[in-house]
Amino acid sequence: MFLNTAGGITGGDRFSLAATAEAGAHLVMTSQAAERIYKAQPGETGRMTTRLDVGPGARLDWLPQETIVFDQARLQRRIDVSLAEDARFLAVEPLLMGRLAMGEIVTAAHLEDQWRIRRGGRLIFADNLRLSGRIDDILARPGVAPGCRAIATLIFAAPDAELKLAPLRAALGQAGSASLVRPGLLFARAIAPDGFDLRRNLIPAIEVLSGTSLPRTWTI
């Protein structure tokens, strides 16, 4: 379990995290609580970088709790993953653009999320998510996330990943969509009106891919 001792991230902050699952190991990583991205001063951007290495025959589950983006926040985040040829990797990244129960509306913010996954040194997955400007208006557009402010990304890389496609789609239901983007790699996104509804659909989907219960911090 990792934690942010600053209690949140704002403009000008720099955070980095690196972890390795060595040969034959199974490493499960989660956060103590939701990460918070606070209002930034003009011209300042918070930056987070994560490096994950998964060795031969190893497995790494990257299961942080939600990232909550507040009004006027600015964040650039990058996650680089290096997998051995037979390694297994599961990742989830839930994102909340304000909290419905708290009446929070993100009128303006900037978020960049970059994923790069390599297996045996070869790039097998790249994804860039960029939301900038009036976030509530952007999310309301058809084909983006109409009526929703909670988004989650799911990634599963394993030699037999295709066996999980049908169960994953069933677990997500109408809340999301999953695809086998290439042999051995599943990618899914889910949306919901708020964090509570997102978790209700996301937790069964994660358990389908992990084959076990989530870390206790997800249910406390």
Side-chain angles (χ1 to χ4, degrees), residues 26-196:
H26 180 192
L27 175 61
V28 179
M29 302 185 67
T30 189
S31 54
Q32 180 193 34
E35 181 63 274
R36 289 163 171 78
I37 314 301
Y38 292 122
K39 177 180 178 180
Q41 295 298 315
E44 294 185 344
T45 300
R47 290 179 170 82
M48 299 176 64
T49 58
T50 300
R51 170 76 188 193
L52 304 173
D53 292 281
V54 191
R59 169 179 162 183
L60 193 151
D61 297 350
W62 172 257
L63 306 175
Q65 297 185 67
E66 297 87 349
T67 295
I68 304 172
V69 178
F70 289 83
D71 194 34
Q72 307 296 324
R74 295 184 60 86
L75 175 68
Q76 289 182 347
R77 184 166 62 177
R78 182 180 175 105
I79 300 178
D80 286 283
V81 184
S82 177
L83 306 176
E85 292 290 354
D86 61 347
R88 305 173 73 87
F89 176 66
L90 167 61
V92 61
E93 278 289 351
L95 180 66
L96 304 184
M97 309 306 293
R99 295 169 294 183
L100 184 62
M102 302 297 289
E104 297 164 352
I105 298 175
V106 182
T107 59
H110 179 87
L111 172 69
E112 294 181 41
D113 226 355
Q114 297 183 353
W115 282 86
R116 298 293 184 272
I117 301 177
R118 291 174 171 80
R119 185 179 288 283
R122 305 181 309 278
L123 182 67
I124 62 170
F125 181 79
D127 183 64
N128 293 341
L129 173 66
R130 185 177 186 271
L131 297 171
S132 187
R134 190 172 176 88
I135 302 298
D136 55 339
D137 287 345
I138 294 172
L139 294 178
R141 294 174 185 169
V144 181
C148 297
R149 63 180 68 198
I151 305 169
T153 296
L154 273 166
I155 302 170
F156 182 60
D160 57 352
E162 63 273 9
L163 299 179
K164 297 288 188 177
L165 180 57
L168 176 59
R169 285 174 171 171
L172 289 172
Q174 298 299 311
S177 180
S179 298
L180 184 70
V181 296
R182 64 182 298 152
L185 184 65
L186 287 177
F187 177 76
R189 276 212 170 105
I191 60 173
D194 62 15
F196 177 81

